[in-house]
Amino acid sequence: MNNRRSIAALGAAVLMGGTALILSAQAPALAEPPSPSDPADTVDPAVVAAMERDFGLTTEEVFARLETEAAALDVERTAVETLGSSYAGTWVTDDGAVAVASTEATTALDALDAETAVVDQTLAELEAHAADIAAAVDRLGEADDVHSWYVDVPDNGIAIVAADRDAAERVAAEAGVAADAYDVSVEAEAPVPFQQQIRGGDPYNIGGQSRCSVGFSATHPSYGDGFVTAGHCDIGSGQITGGTGAGGQFRFSQFPGEDWAWVEAGAGWQVAPLVNRYDGTDVQVTDGDERPIGASVCRSGSTTGWYCGVIEAKGVTVNYPEGAVTGMTRTTVCAQPGDSGGSYISGGSAQGITSGGAGNCPSGWTVFEPLDRALARTGATLTTTGDDPQQGFSVSLSPSARTIEPGQSTSVSVDTQTTSGSPQAVTLSASGAPSGVSVSVSPTQVTTGQSATLTVTTTAAATEGTHTITVTAQGDVTRTATLTLTVGDDGGGETTWQAGTAYSVGDQVSYNGVGYVCRIAHTSQPGWTPDVTPALWGRLL
């Protein structure tokens, strides 16, 4: 750039650093010179120390610079008002002086309490050039090669950052920007957003209305990075407006009945196998192995922080005002509003997601949504350190839902699979049968990779309705799977599945000649057909 000027320019990186340093609640107080002997009253000591380190200044020089930066705001306001259309910008120079540029040498410019420069282009002209550059990048499809552009006020021109000079020159020519009005900085490495970690127990805000806590980092095959949390946190638009995952969206959720959700995080957020211990340290998530009754467990949440207790019971039903939740795990750990959705972890093993309870910390009890079920329902994968020597098998039921009349029997297949290491022996059991219903597994012990049969038998007086039967597989670790069992005619048999229909748990539909039973209450959407949504529908055989 060939510009007329009378002072040296301040580099963009330093300007940005200086600007950031005064964006604080204390900024108005800096109009008066702070006293070096008592900096705590006006400036955070950490800011002073950082400026001494990064700018190479003494303490007195730091305060002098801060005073100049505060004064620059008043100078800028005056310059904009008095210089009018000739105004070309205000900045702080390398030596800590306030500088103002204009395209005209006028008495108004000379009257300013600042160093001055007469330049070729007004600020309005420079901003128009920057807008033209943006449009040219879009027209030419040069976004991959032209990384950045901005108005360089001290140099009175446009700065273009590109992978190569030819791309920058093509864009400038397309935009009609003269060769002497821009400079090019060639940088082979393209900029990327700085990733922020998704950490269990940290807060997030929903629709600007409420706050909940992150459960665990988990990835989804369609949506990428995100986290599991409580289903009852999904309110309003389901948009994440602040905190962890800001800019994201609830993608899957269920409440009541169960209490799980998966949130797609906004841009710049990255999964991490971490849970906040709220003492300045984190717990690493090594696996998702389910722990037995009596095991220790700790909870992380954004209201009360970190509390520990023991697992008291599994398969618990809790009646909330909104409706019942089933299959929950009860603990002696306390929690309070805002902790909802947060992490339960035993050692390094992720256990579940805070749902609700009673009492206030440090006393009370809570229940959590089992992590295995939340992951299975949402199709997400837990983020771990990868150091998981115990994880080795899975268990599933086929089909996962059955409907029978009182007095009838039915059966489903209990399938196990070795997921890592060698096959191992596991013991199988079933629980959760209501009055008049008996359940049994045969054989009760298999080697992973083999199958067993879950038999359900009902009496004529069996309790009608929809029930959850839990099959537990105990090996080196514990795994569970659930059967949605509907006893009795719950509403007139099957209807043809249709999009845009509200379905309740136990509703039966037919699709392409196959019968299905609803596992999770929802309103169907186009493409959510029963054959491709096993989390919502169980096949009737």
Side-chain angles (χ1 to χ4, degrees), residues 25 28 50 67 108 115 143 209 268 273 281 291 345 358 374 404 424 432 455-456 466 509:
E67 181 183 357
E115 295 187 6
Q209 301 177 46
T281 65
R291 292 294 186 250
I345 189 166
I404 59 174
Q424 58 181 284
T455 300
V456 180
T466 301
V509 300

Side-chain angles (χ1 to χ4, degrees), residues 510-523:
S510 62
Y511 183 77
N512 288 343
V514 178
Y516 297 88
V517 60
C518 181
R519 302 185 62 197
I520 299 173
H522 67 285
T523 298

Side-chain angles (χ1 to χ4, degrees), residues 40 83 88 106 108 150 165 233 249 253 283 320 336 341 353 374 390 439 456 467 473 508 536:
L83 297 180
T106 64
Y150 56 91
R165 182 171 294 277
C233 292
Q249 176 78 44
S253 67
V283 179
Y320 293 135
Q336 292 176 202
I353 301 160
Q390 295 189 77
V439 293
V456 180
H467 314 282
Q508 293 183 28
L536 302 177

Side-chain angles (χ1 to χ4, degrees), residues 204 206 210-213 229-235 250 259 340-341:
Y204 67 94
I206 309 98
S210 65
R211 169 177 55 83
C212 280
S213 301
T229 186
H232 71 262
C233 292
D234 184 5
I235 63 171
F250 276 84
D259 197 4
S340 288

Side-chain angles (χ1 to χ4, degrees), residues 192-200 202 214 216-220 223-227 243-246 262-275 381 383-384:
V192 296
F194 290 115
Q195 299 291 327
Q196 302 179 81
Q197 290 185 325
I198 301 171
R199 179 175 60 174
D202 282 355
V214 173
F216 296 94
S217 281
T219 56
H220 190 274
Y223 296 107
D225 288 0
F227 56 88
T244 298
W262 185 84
V263 172
E264 177 188 7
W269 291 93
Q270 186 177 49
V271 292
L274 301 172
V275 172
T381 300
T383 302
T384 68

